[in-house]
Each structure stands twice: as structure tokens, then as C-alpha cells.
Amino acid sequence: MNGILETLSGMKTGGRRLIGCFPLYPPLELLHSFGLTPITLWGMRDAVRDYGTGDRHVQNYACQVARALTGFVIDNGPSLFDALFMYNACDTLRNLPEIVHAGIRETGADLPIFRLHVPALSPDRTGAKDYLRDRLRLLMADLERFTGRPFSAKAFAESAALYAKQRSFCREIEALCTGGKMPFAAAAPLLERAHFMDVREHIALLEEAVTHHAGLPENGSGVRVLVSGIQAPPVDLLRVMDASGLTVAANDIATMARSYGTSPTGSDPLDYYAAFYFDHHPCTTILPAGDRRIKLLGQRVQEDGIRGVVFFGEKFCEYEYFEIPYLQETLNTRGVATLFLELGADDLANLMPLRTRIEAFAEIVRGDSV
Amino acid sequence: MPHETPTGGFKKTSSGKRLTGIIMNDYLQLHQRAAEGAFVVWIAIVVPAEIFAGFDNVVYAVPESHAAMSAGKGVGAVQCGKAEKAGYSSDLCSYARIDLGTAMDGGKDSPSFGMPRPHLLVSNNNNCSLLAKWFDVYHRVWGTPHFILDIPFCYEEQTPQDFAYIRGQFADLVRTIEGLSGQRFDEAKAREAVCLSGEALREWKRFTSLAQHRPSPITAFDSFVQMAPILTSRGTQQLADHYRALADETEEQMRQGVYPVPDERYRLLWDNIAPWHQLRKMSGRLASLGANITTASYTYCIGSLEGTFDMYAYDGGDPFAWLARLQNFSVCPHGMALRARAMRQAVERNGIDGVVFASNRSCKVYSLMQMDQMRFVRDELGIPAVMIDVDHADERKYSEEASFVRLEALLETIDAGRRGNGMNSGNPSI
């Protein structure tokens, strides 16, 4: 597969109008229905090796996602993207649009940035749904002006159907991992490509993988574990897990299960996104979803026969850090072993200490299963 | 609170002594009323506490304020250590770690013996969403209900839609407390509290505006210390009286020629939360260099709308409307343009020579625009700026020497500018 930069450049030169979206869960279907190709600017570890540009604007105690995004968009945004989109996903990301914009303008270029405030409330709270609907109407009006095309319910329904299909395939891929037919180390990069590809092309890739792996024999003899985190860990670490006798049977990763776990239906974008955001697959960044997350993890552990959970902590992601101690304690009480590993921009060059800890964890969990 | 220092800087005045009494009394009252059956609410600092005055028997505690006090009293690192031992990362906000450490250890080592356990947690996400995550810990461990106020970030001034949305949530909060406490809300009482807060903030503004004088009769450190009762005594006559006396006393000191840095050669602005564990040391050492941090965005924003440090007065109308409009008073929920506008106002009005950006590992929301703000200060305002690393409440993450190397370099740059070969002559910023 091509690197992110090559992929995006190819799409751009192919005539697509790309909109760079700040993570985590932008309204992809809506943007797509206006003829834009949304790209969710997750960590981009293969595209951003040098944090120099980002570090001119953002302190190095911001997470890798923020640092990479800032540098990548300032360096490449004007040549790749027609616009940017952000919503209030987290405290760090909400601070970035003006920083990124200022950085782009320093280069003599400019890019419009669309913003959306998603209520951090449960839907039963006064005004929550109406406020979201108002914000969405404004966003749609902005998109109409920007693209020069009116909103089309038909186009939206088609886009929503495409993303529903993509998410369905993603869940099938995860089911193949759960069933031991596909190693997670192979699945993770494929699932994460969702963020940097045209949705139709990604569906084709997923469909091919599902067809291929569905016919393979099960090979899930390892101890079943769940991995949690913001981004998938480097593939090298996932391979270490495989080699250590751990089978990743489920994930609670923001770039994966948390992204494809929600798939509303309907052609009214206002209702659609009320369902999308208020009933979203639990994520630490969705403030009212904290209690649901604990329940869901417990359910996955029980249903998938999970013996261990590996938390890949995104360095400096305080959202995750506030939840992990309680989650670990809760899981440990239920007899599930846990391991917490921290991954930051500066840790990726030397994975050996993390490998050692995974191997040690695997020995412990395997010992339990004997 | 810190004691008088022989090396200059802020000194403990009679207002300082009165402040100690107020804070002590506030915490005693809090514990006593809780023990007598009051409904206890823990709140984030910008949650409008005046609402609670509308109930007969609701008391509130402010974990952030308690954490700041703990850090000022030298027990911040001890409490942080307890939270870290329980698995909470040292990268988390030190206020949160202090609070979690205090709560987990039953108030041990706390200057106020901790805070009474809450019946309700009220967080908001405009200062930072992490308050919601932090309060969620208690929600899970204790089963305490958690009410979140969702306050949209201000890239521009607050919109009418945002205002209505916020106003509606306050009504929700009232209904929630009524339901949980069994008490009825009396708007007249809340209105009275809002009137008193408005009065107190007017006096607060009179106090902070004295920093315009040369030499300044106050330091930003005075404002750091004196902001405490805004958090614990909001909506009371006591608060209004205290700030009136504070402003009066400061004006009297001016008349008598008493200044914290008599040989004031450098007037600086501080951008970020106070370094609670360093107030005395930092102000004294700066004073010995002839430097006075006269102004701080952290405290001068209190009582103001986004993008300005001017007073937003209560007009006697709907008290919830005033609270809703002021809900974004602190700097954290402001976009870069608004921060820049307010900073320009403070720099020009208070005759600032240089800006100290305190890059605060415990407060990303305050800090993650500062690198661009530094360029703004240098390029647009034409004054030098420096960035130092701090943590507002965990002194283990602070290096006095590293900070002062940079602070002294800032003063040298100001001098160089005055000699005509400073940053305006092409020298880079620090």
C-alpha cells in the first residue's frame, strides 16, 4: 500500500476535493454527500516522522495525534486539501484550528476551516438535540456555500449507505479476528486505511479481505485478548502479540471499533447525527458515554472469552488516563489480566521495552490458561 | 498563604490576613454544614455557584481551589504521589492528582482536612473537558450523580444560540438539585447572590486596575492569592466587603508610597495559571531584579467577557442571563484571536514591557496556543516574550533555575530594546 501522502496526492491529482478532518468522529457522510472526500487526520505515523513543523506551534506535551496533525496540515494542507473540518472532540483538538490556520497563513496560503460543536450531554438534557440540529444546519449552509451545491437528501442517503457498508465490513473483519481467521496484525492496518481512502475504494479492499479470510481455517489458538487505545499500536507490536501466543479477538480502539461501531440509518442528517453522536460507540472523548463504555467492555470480555486486556495509552491523552485505572481495577476484579503500555511520538523509535513487557504479559496470561 | 518576604514582592497585608480568615472560615462552614445535613455539591471553578444560594441548604466545594491551596501550602506533591500510586498518570493535571490523592486518603495531609463527600458533582467542559473525566472518577467510585454543563468554546464572541443553550442548562441544573435534594429553588435568593457577586467583581476590577500605575501597587501574585474567595465565597456580602477593603487598602498604600517593587524597572505580564508552589519565591526573586509581574491573564479575566479584561456588569435583570453570558470569562475557552485581543488591551493599558508565557504541562487548554501567541506578542505588540516550563501545582515538574535563566534573559532583552538594539532591531525573541 502507498503511504498516506502518496495516496492523498494521488487522489488530489485525480480531481478529488479533499477535506481534512480533525479526529475523532467527523460527520463523514454529510461531507461526502457534498462531493467532498473526507480524510480523518489520525496520527499518520508513516507520513510524519519529523515533528519540527508541529513543534513550532504546539508544545511537545500534546499527544502524537495533535503534533502530527499540526505539522502535516501546515506542511501539506494547502496542496492536498480544499478545506478542513473540526469538532470539539477533545481539549487539545479544540485549540488547534486557529494554530493550524495561522501556520498555513505563514506559508502564504489559506484554507477554510469548518467547525461544529457537538453537545457533550446526554440527549435527554434540555436543548441538547436542538442545539446539535442548529449547529448542523449552519454547517450544511456553510457547505452549500463552499461547494456551490445544495444539500441533497438523496445524496446524503447514498453516502450514509456507503459508510454503513464500510462499517459493516469493518465489523466483519473484526469478527474474523475474533474467530481466529485473520490475525489482528493484518487487520489493523487495513481497518485504519478507512481514514485515508475514498470510502468506495476502502469497501473494495475490505470486501476482498473478507472473502479471502472467511475461507481460511481458524488459527486462533492463542489466549484471547482485547486491545484498547486511541490508535492501533505499531504493527511490530501486534506481531509480537501474535508471536507470544496472544490472539487479539476484540478491540476498543478509537481509530477502529469506536469508529465503525456506530452506524445510524435514515436520510435526514439532523436525525442521523443525533443518533450518531448521542448513541455513539462508547469512547472516552464522548463525555456522557463513560458508564456505557465500562458496560460494553465487560460485555465484550464475557462474550468473546477475553482473558487479558492491553491498554495502549496514547501519551498525554488525559481522557484515556482518567479512565484506565478504574477500568483496570474493574477488569482485574473480574479475573481479567491487564497491561498498560504508553505510546508517544518519541517512543516509536524504540519499541524493545514494550516488546519485553508484552512478552512478559503473555507469559502471565498463558500461565493462567494452563 | 505565603508570609511576608524580606526580599520584596507581594507582602501579607491586612487584607491578606483577613483573607486567611475568610478561607479558613469557608472550609470550616463547609464541613460543619455538611455534617449537619446540607446538600453538598462539588463544582468546577467556573460553574456559577450563585445558583446554589437559591437553595436553603446547599453548600459547594471547589476541588480545583482546594488543590491550589494544597500546592500553596506545600503538600501538592504529596497528594499527587498518592494518586500516582493508585495508577493515575503523572501526566494528568496536578489539580486532579492532588484532589484524587486527597480524596483517596480521606483528607489526610490536606490543609482543610479535605472536603465533605458530595451528593452531586457539577463539571463543565469550557475550561477543560478533563474536569468531566476527573469528576467521573468519583461518579464511578462513589456512585455520585454527575451533571455536566456543556459550554461551547469561543472562537468568536459568544453567539445568541450558545447563550440560550447555556441558559437552558442552568435551569436543568436547578431542576436536578431540586430533585436530588428535595429543596425548592428561590430565584430571588439567587438574584441577591448575583448582585453581590457583581458588586464583588466591580471591586475586584478596581483592585486589579491599579496595576496601571507606575510603579504598580500590586503584583500579579497578590491577585493569585486574593482570587481564592471568588471560588469559595461567591455571591456573599463577605466577598464584596473583602474586595472593597482590598482595593481601598491598596489605594491607601499608593498614597503612602508603599509599593511591592519600589525600584520597578520591568513590568511583566504572566500568561497561565499561577505557579502556586512558587508564589513567594518567584515574586521575591523577581523583585530583587527590579521586575514586577503586574498583570496576569489568569486573574484579570475574572468578571470579563471573552476578548477583554473590562468588567461585565450585572444589570439587575435575569440573573441566569448574566451568569450565562459570563460563563466563558476564563481564558481557557477562548480562541487565539480573542486571547490576542485581551492581551493587547492589557499590554497597552498596563504598560507591559515583556510577557512571560508559563507553559503549563498540567493545563494544555491554557498552554496550547502560547507558541503562536508569543509570535503575536513579538511581531504585533513589539515587546519581547519568554516561555518557561511550569506545572501549576506539582513542584516536582518545575525548575527554578531553568526558569530564571529565561526570565533574566527576558529582562536583558527588554534592556537591549531600550538601548535600541533589542528585538525591534532584529534580535530574535527568547
Side-chain angles (χ1 to χ4, degrees):
Chain A
M1 282 189 283
N2 283 335
I4 290 168
L5 192 53
E6 293 75 19
T7 302
L8 299 184
S9 298
M11 290 164 79
K12 180 72 177 174
T13 51
R16 290 184 188 277
R17 300 188 76 188
L18 305 184
I19 180 163
C21 302
F22 289 27
L24 290 71
Y25 313 116
L28 302 170
E29 307 83 346
L30 181 66
L31 301 170
H32 187 270
S33 74
F34 278 96
L36 302 169
T37 301
I39 303 297
T40 311
L41 299 163
W42 284 104
M44 299 171 289
R45 287 177 182 142
D46 79 335
V48 180
R49 308 264 183 213
D50 175 0
Y51 292 87
T53 302
D55 288 355
R56 278 193 71 238
H57 297 271
V58 177
Q59 288 94 325
N60 62 7
Y61 50 82
C63 68
Q64 186 269 342
V65 176
R67 292 170 67 193
L69 183 156
T70 303
F72 183 83
V73 174
I74 291 173
D75 286 342
N76 304 292
S79 62
L80 290 177
F81 301 120
D82 291 90
L84 300 169
F85 169 86
M86 68 80 60
Y87 78 100
N88 52 314
C90 77
D91 285 348
T92 296
L93 290 171
R94 82 178 189 185
N95 269 26
L96 291 191
E98 291 169 306
I99 293 172
V100 167
H101 195 232
I104 290 172
R105 292 188 67 163
E106 272 181 18
T107 68
D110 206 352
L111 268 182
I113 303 182
F114 301 106
R115 295 192 301 256
L116 175 69
H117 180 89
V118 176
L121 300 176
S122 53
D124 57 319
R125 286 277 301 277
T126 304
K129 277 189 173 172
D130 287 344
Y131 183 83
L132 177 62
R133 294 170 78 90
D134 279 348
R135 298 298 94 186
L136 285 165
R137 281 193 198 97
L138 287 175
L139 175 63
M140 288 160 69
D142 286 344
L143 289 169
E144 285 180 340
R145 275 190 294 275
F146 174 69
T147 60
R149 54 200 275 183
F151 169 76
S152 158
K154 183 170 175 286
F156 180 76
E158 287 169 2
S159 295
L162 275 176
Y163 280 94
K165 191 172 182 183
Q166 180 201 40
R167 288 170 185 143
S168 173
F169 272 124
C170 287
R171 290 192 290 270
E172 281 193 52
I173 293 282
E174 186 176 329
L176 289 169
C177 296
T178 310
K181 292 191 170 191
M182 184 174 188
F184 192 69
L190 175 63
L191 293 170
E192 286 199 323
R193 294 296 290 182
H195 307 295
F196 301 98
M197 289 183 77
D198 171 78
V199 61
R200 284 190 180 83
E201 290 170 12
H202 191 236
I203 288 170
L205 275 183
L206 292 166
E207 193 167 10
E208 186 185 327
V210 167
T211 305
H212 174 71
H213 286 88
L216 297 180
E218 286 189 13
N219 187 24
S221 57
V223 177
R224 296 157 77 83
V225 297
L226 180 149
V227 289
S228 178
I230 294 293
Q231 305 182 79
V235 170
D236 280 354
L237 291 182
L238 295 174
R239 290 196 185 113
V240 171
M241 293 178 78
D242 283 339
S244 305
L246 300 176
T247 296
V248 178
N251 84 82
D252 166 51
I253 290 179
T255 54
M256 294 191 279
R258 297 187 211 171
S259 287
Y260 56 67
T262 311
S263 211
T265 54
S267 58
D268 176 357
L270 305 182
D271 291 337
Y272 183 95
Y273 286 110
F276 181 79
Y277 286 116
F278 289 123
D279 301 328
H280 199 276
H281 188 93
C283 174
T284 183
T285 63
I286 296 175
L287 300 183
D291 291 346
R292 284 197 290 122
R293 184 177 181 215
I294 292 164
K295 280 184 194 155
L296 183 75
L297 280 180
Q299 194 181 326
R300 293 304 306 264
V301 162
Q302 195 167 10
E303 289 173 0
D304 296 331
I306 300 296
R307 302 288 309 267
V309 173
V310 183
F311 292 95
F312 287 97
E314 188 75 36
K315 180 80 175 164
F316 300 121
C317 178
E318 293 176 286
Y319 291 78
E320 290 275 285
Y321 286 3
F322 271 114
E323 289 198 349
I324 286 173
Y326 182 81
L327 290 174
Q328 284 192 286
E329 191 183 332
T330 304
L331 290 164
N332 293 160
T333 305
R334 294 179 188 180
V336 179
T338 59
L339 173 66
F340 174 70
L341 300 172
E342 199 169 61
L343 280 171
D346 305 324
D347 302 322
L348 299 174
N350 182 12
L351 298 177
M352 192 54 76
L354 301 177
R355 291 177 63 125
T356 306
R357 292 190 61 198
I358 288 171
E359 286 163 358
F361 178 72
E363 284 171 21
I364 293 167
V365 182
R366 283 203 314 265
D368 286 345
S369 66
V370 170
Chain B
M1 296 298 159
H3 298 290
E4 184 171 305
T5 166
T7 51
F10 81 99
K11 297 178 191 301
K12 191 153 190 172
T13 59
S14 59
S15 288
K17 289 171 188 153
R18 193 172 57 251
L19 171 72
T20 304
I22 289 171
I23 299 298
M24 190 183 296
N25 188 53
D26 283 345
Y27 277 99
L28 282 172
Q29 285 283 316
L30 173 64
H31 280 294
Q32 189 175 335
R33 288 188 60 189
E36 290 168 358
F39 186 83
V40 180
V41 187
W42 282 16
I43 63 168
I45 54 169
V46 296
V47 169
E50 291 84 352
I51 289 174
F52 308 129
F55 295 92
D56 283 338
N57 201 19
V58 173
V59 292
Y60 70 93
V62 191
E64 291 154 276
S65 181
H66 173 266
M69 178 174 70
S70 298
K73 293 288 188 186
V75 295
V78 172
Q79 305 291 34
C80 282
K82 293 175 188 173
E84 289 158 18
K85 203 172 168 186
Y88 291 93
S89 168
S90 61
D91 288 328
L92 287 172
C93 163
S94 49
Y95 279 171
R97 281 179 287 134
I98 289 173
D99 188 51
L100 291 167
T102 304
M104 286 170 185
D105 203 20
K108 193 177 165 216
D109 298 319
S110 157
S112 67
F113 306 101
M115 297 175 297
R117 190 175 283 195
H119 299 100
L120 175 67
L121 302 151
V122 184
S123 66
N124 61 4
N125 61 353
N126 59 330
N127 249 14
C128 75
S129 299
L130 298 174
L131 279 154
K133 305 305 293 181
W134 161 7
F135 282 17
D136 255 356
V137 174
Y138 300 125
H139 164 64
R140 292 197 187 104
V141 175
W142 294 335
T144 310
H146 181 188
F147 186 98
I148 299 173
L149 287 166
D150 177 49
I151 313 294
F153 188 84
C154 287
Y155 296 99
E156 296 97 20
E157 289 175 22
Q158 188 185 72
T159 64
Q161 291 80 9
D162 289 352
F163 168 81
Y165 178 52
I166 297 166
R167 171 74 180 75
Q169 291 181 67
F170 291 168
D172 256 7
L173 176 58
V174 166
R175 282 191 290 273
T176 299
I177 296 173
E178 283 185 331
L180 290 170
S181 72
Q183 300 177 39
R184 291 293 302 276
F185 177 72
D186 181 346
E187 187 179 307
K189 287 183 181 172
R191 184 189 300 271
E192 187 184 342
V194 164
C195 279
L196 290 169
S197 282
E199 195 181 325
L201 290 173
R202 194 169 58 244
E203 299 298 335
W204 174 256
K205 290 294 187 189
R206 182 159 70 95
F207 166 68
T208 55
S209 70
L210 297 174
Q212 292 172 37
H213 292 264
R214 284 179 186 272
S216 170
I218 63 172
T219 74
F221 299 91
D222 295 300
S223 70
F224 294 154
V225 172
Q226 288 289 353
M227 73 178 279
I230 289 178
L231 309 176
T232 58
S233 284
R234 222 176 310 168
T236 64
Q237 187 66 54
Q238 171 183 255
L239 183 68
D241 292 345
H242 173 66
Y243 285 145
R244 185 176 301 107
L246 172 67
D248 288 346
E249 182 187 60
T250 309
E251 286 176 349
E252 178 57 28
Q253 285 179 325
M254 284 171 63
R255 280 190 284 276
Q256 293 176 12
V258 176
Y259 297 101
V261 185
D263 177 28
E264 182 187 271
R265 283 172 287 140
Y266 311 98
R267 296 165 62 85
L268 308 177
L269 183 149
W270 176 273
D271 184 66
N272 216 301
I273 299 174
W276 297 111
H277 44 84
Q278 294 298 316
L279 298 185
R280 185 179 174 199
K281 269 190 188 172
M282 187 180 278
S283 69
R285 191 161 166 183
L286 283 169
S288 71
L289 298 167
N292 185 1
I293 297 179
T294 63
T295 307
S297 56
Y298 180 54
T299 44
Y300 287 47
C301 66
I302 297 169
S304 302
L305 299 181
E306 55 281 346
T308 175
F309 291 132
D310 290 338
M311 171 77 186
Y312 179 68
Y314 176 50
D315 63 1
D318 175 6
F320 281 14
W322 184 72
L323 293 171
R325 186 63 192 91
L326 256 186
Q327 188 58 179
N328 280 311
F329 74 82
S330 60
V331 173
C332 293
H334 299 168
M336 205 148 72
L338 291 169
R339 293 186 193 201
R341 193 201 299 171
M343 191 166 284
R344 178 190 292 277
Q345 182 189 60
V347 164
E348 291 175 353
R349 192 177 283 177
N350 289 8
I352 298 298
D353 300 314
V355 177
V356 180
F357 286 98
S359 178
N360 183 351
R361 299 180 81 87
S362 270
C363 191
K364 293 186 181 70
V365 286
Y366 214 133
S367 305
L368 292 186
M369 287 184 192
Q370 289 178 318
M371 297 177 85
D372 283 278
Q373 279 183 289
M374 275 184 72
R375 282 185 275 277
F376 163 78
V377 165
R378 178 194 64 200
D379 299 341
E380 301 293 326
L381 303 184
I383 58 172
V386 70
M387 185 170 284
I388 61 172
D389 287 320
V390 300
D391 184 293
H392 54 236
D394 186 349
E395 61 188 312
R396 296 170 301 174
K397 295 187 183 178
Y398 173 76
S399 164
E400 182 179 343
E401 289 314 312
S403 295
F404 267 86
V405 165
R406 299 185 76 78
L407 289 168
E408 286 167 11
L410 173 66
L411 305 184
E412 287 166 13
T413 307
I414 293 169
D415 281 338
R418 287 169 177 165
R419 288 194 301 269
N421 61 348
M423 52 168 293
N424 291 332
S425 305
N427 285 356
S429 66
I430 304 157

